[in-house]
Amino acid sequence: MTAATYQYVDLPDASVVTTRALLTARENITDTVAARAMMCIHGGAGFGKTLAVNTCLRALEPGEDVRKITFRARPTARCDLSVW
């Protein structure tokens, strides 16, 4: 995924603002990947979970073996699995 293909980053002059929540997500994701563990990020709709995760994962070394599984709020027979 390139920087301009997700969410609103492809808008002219748009950029990701580093907030305390984004820094916390980055620290937690980095620690989780280093520990070869799993984590869950949850919260209300529109709080920036997807943007934070995508931004943080993109910053990791390309050689990291990361799997991102998205569970939708409404159960379905389909499960999204993205391999980074």
Side-chain angles (χ1 to χ4, degrees), residues 11-51:
L11 293 173
D13 298 323
S15 63
V16 176
V17 177
T18 303
T19 62
R20 184 175 300 147
L22 182 61
L23 291 173
T24 301
R26 181 180 301 157
E27 181 179 334
N28 290 335
I29 290 170
T30 301
D31 291 347
T32 301
V33 170
R36 300 283 193 231
M38 295 184 342
M39 71 178 286
C40 175
I41 295 182
H42 63 91
F47 282 15
K49 298 174 301 293
T50 302
L51 179 66

Side-chain angles (χ1 to χ4, degrees), residues 1-81:
M1 178 173 8
T2 63
T5 61
Y6 71 98
Q7 307 222 259
Y8 304 106
V9 178
D10 60 343
L11 293 173
D13 298 323
S15 63
V16 176
V17 177
T18 303
T19 62
R20 184 175 300 147
L22 182 61
L23 291 173
T24 301
R26 181 180 301 157
E27 181 179 334
N28 290 335
I29 290 170
T30 301
D31 291 347
T32 301
V33 170
R36 300 283 193 231
M38 295 184 342
M39 71 178 286
C40 175
I41 295 182
H42 63 91
F47 282 15
K49 298 174 301 293
T50 302
L51 179 66
V53 169
N54 288 338
T55 300
C56 295
L57 289 177
R58 187 170 290 105
L60 291 175
E61 291 292 322
E64 292 293 344
D65 185 24
V66 176
R67 303 286 189 269
K68 186 179 116 186
I69 302 171
T70 303
F71 297 97
R72 303 289 176 202
R74 295 187 184 112
T76 66
R78 191 182 120 224
C79 177
D80 291 339
L81 174 64

